Amino acid sequence: MRILMTTDVIGGVWTFTQELATGLLERGCAVALVSLGRLPSTQQQHWADAMVRSWDGCFCFRSTETPLEWMQGNDRAYSEAAPLLLRLAEQFEADLLHCNQFCFGALPVSAPKVVTAHSDVLSWAESCRNVPLEESSWLRQYRYLVREGLDQADAVIAPTCWMMNALSRNFRLPREQQIIANGRTIALLPQTPRKLQAVTAGRLWDEAKNIGMFSHVDSPMPLIIAGDDCCEQETAPADLKHAEFLGALSQEALLSCFAESAIYICSSIYEPFGLAPLEAALCGCAVLAHDIPSLREVWDDGAIYFSDADSLSQALQALHADTQLLARAQIRSFLQARRYSRAAM
């Protein structure tokens, strides 16, 4: 099968498509991958170049700075990228179009079109805001792009039941719907001494990540925060005096940070799946997760849950004081994380 796939280079969608493209290639498929949002980082481009060399003739990569649906300038999100995708679909002789943005479900191609719903602005706002989003040309365009893409797609995939249900509250979905959890496979890392520290990572500028909560956490151990701190007009909270901020790390450096940490904290108030806690658990961290339905669905009894800064502080105090409790939590998180492999996805 020959698959044309879209991705973005800003968040976890990139990691998701790395895993999926590799798994499909290993199973005999050919993949053409197109990235959007901004130009790839040096590391992302190096990965793509290495894949082209490793899978000669079976993998190709194109990049564009076309805005994503949720970004400012989304009036160009479809129209600017569509000519490239249509041309590549014909040249590549694609049998399937796998869209990791909603709008490309509307591309006029004969091949079946599958949309994966990683998140959406309206369900994000329901979780993160106390009032509805203000009406604007940007929001109207976003709704139009998502609606058109879903109306013309042949199938929609979501990583959790929670995400599929959240999407269905605001949009009509294709008849064919599948829940397929994200998967991650990490090569064994060199054994390093594990520090009694807690780490979190992600798009720190996104209020869904709830990074400001760390200003109110009373932790007996160092708190480490890694990730992008700005995107367009959004920036991370400035008051993080109780934590060490590492900034954006390469994928390799982030995994090394997980491998030397004892705990991963997923503080999100909106998290349709969450690849970073999965990576951390596979690296040996115990997962502490904000008690929201989507994270309960993913982690079941493989995580310790908290509801606010006080309960998170209490959990950190308990794990700091009891090494056996921490070790059991790490094992539970690792065993749950192993369910979400590349092969399973």
Side-chain angles (χ1 to χ4, degrees):
M1 181 179 288
R2 301 179 66 79
I3 302 166
L4 173 58
M5 186 185 304
T6 68
T7 189
D8 76 61
V9 296
I10 295 174
V13 175
W14 174 260
T15 304
F16 166 84
T17 48
Q18 281 183 296
E19 288 283 349
L20 184 57
T22 301
L24 292 168
L25 287 162
E26 290 173 346
R27 283 156 180 76
C29 297
V31 176
L33 183 62
V34 178
S35 71
L36 304 111
R38 63 188 180 201
L39 292 179
S41 68
T42 300
Q43 184 193 32
Q44 289 167 333
Q45 188 63 56
H46 285 169
W47 174 85
D49 293 341
M51 291 289 285
V52 170
R53 291 191 299 269
S54 298
W55 299 96
D56 183 32
C58 293
F59 179 82
C60 67
F61 178 71
R62 302 286 186 273
S63 62
T64 171
E65 295 180 271
T66 298
L68 303 170
E69 297 148 332
W70 53 264
M71 299 175 76
Q72 298 300 317
N74 64 356
D75 56 313
R76 299 183 285 121
Y78 177 85
S79 60
E80 193 174 276
L84 169 63
L85 292 170
L86 290 171
R87 185 168 62 250
L88 192 53
E90 182 177 359
Q91 294 172 351
F92 192 68
E93 299 180 331
D95 300 308
L96 177 72
L97 179 59
H98 179 202
C99 313
N100 288 291
Q101 293 79 32
F102 295 105
C103 62
F104 301 123
L107 283 169
V109 296
S110 57
K113 294 169 290 187
V114 175
V115 170
T116 293
H118 297 279
S119 64
D120 89 278
V121 167
L122 301 188
S123 62
W124 172 92
E126 291 169 355
S127 297
C128 299
R129 301 283 178 88
N130 293 323
V131 296
L133 291 169
E134 183 178 348
E135 280 298 325
S136 64
S137 58
W138 165 81
L139 184 57
R140 287 189 291 273
Q141 176 69 0
Y142 176 81
R143 288 198 193 101
Y144 171 79
L145 291 170
V146 177
R147 184 173 63 247
E148 289 295 300
L150 288 171
D151 282 349
Q152 299 181 58
D154 294 284
V156 61
I157 294 165
T160 53
C161 293
W162 183 91
M163 182 64 230
M164 189 73 81
N165 292 334
L167 188 64
S168 70
R169 288 198 297 270
N170 297 297
F171 299 100
R172 182 175 61 197
L173 304 186
R175 180 176 300 176
E176 181 67 24
Q177 302 167 22
Q178 293 286 334
I179 308 301
I180 302 177
N182 292 346
R184 190 75 167 95
T185 296
I186 296 174
L188 287 175
L189 299 169
Q191 290 293 320
T192 57
R194 195 174 294 276
K195 303 173 185 176
L196 193 53
Q197 63 184 26
V199 62
T200 193
R203 302 187 304 197
L204 309 183
W205 48 267
D206 183 352
E207 60 198 87
K209 302 304 179 186
N210 197 26
I211 296 299
M213 183 191 69
F214 287 93
S215 299
H216 308 288
V217 173
D218 181 16
S219 175
M221 65 184 78
L223 298 176
I224 310 296
I225 300 177
D228 286 327
D229 63 350
C230 63
C231 181
E232 296 191 309
Q233 288 80 40
E234 303 297 327
T235 58
D239 182 19
L240 295 173
K241 58 182 179 294
H242 298 307
E244 179 184 355
F245 177 57
L246 301 182
L249 300 179
S250 69
Q251 195 172 85
E252 181 180 349
L254 183 60
L255 294 179
S256 294
C257 180
F258 292 159
E260 67 179 23
S261 299
I263 294 167
Y264 183 89
I265 302 171
C266 185
S267 57
S268 300
I269 54 176
Y270 175 79
E271 193 66 81
F273 184 85
L275 274 172
L278 175 58
E279 291 175 329
L282 290 171
C283 291
C285 292
V287 172
L288 273 60
H290 196 186
D291 196 355
I292 57 176
S294 57
L295 292 177
R296 284 276 183 180
E297 181 180 343
V298 172
W299 288 99
D300 195 27
D301 63 356
I304 295 171
Y305 297 94
F306 60 89
S307 57
D308 54 23
D310 287 342
S311 57
L312 173 57
S313 300
Q314 292 168 12
L316 290 170
Q317 296 281 356
L319 294 172
H320 182 267
D322 190 335
T323 57
Q324 291 187 344
L325 180 66
L326 174 59
R328 290 195 296 271
Q330 289 168 333
I331 292 170
R332 288 198 306 273
S333 293
F334 177 73
L335 292 177
Q336 182 71 4
R338 286 184 60 188
R339 298 178 54 192
Y340 302 113
S341 66
R342 178 195 300 164
M345 176 173 63

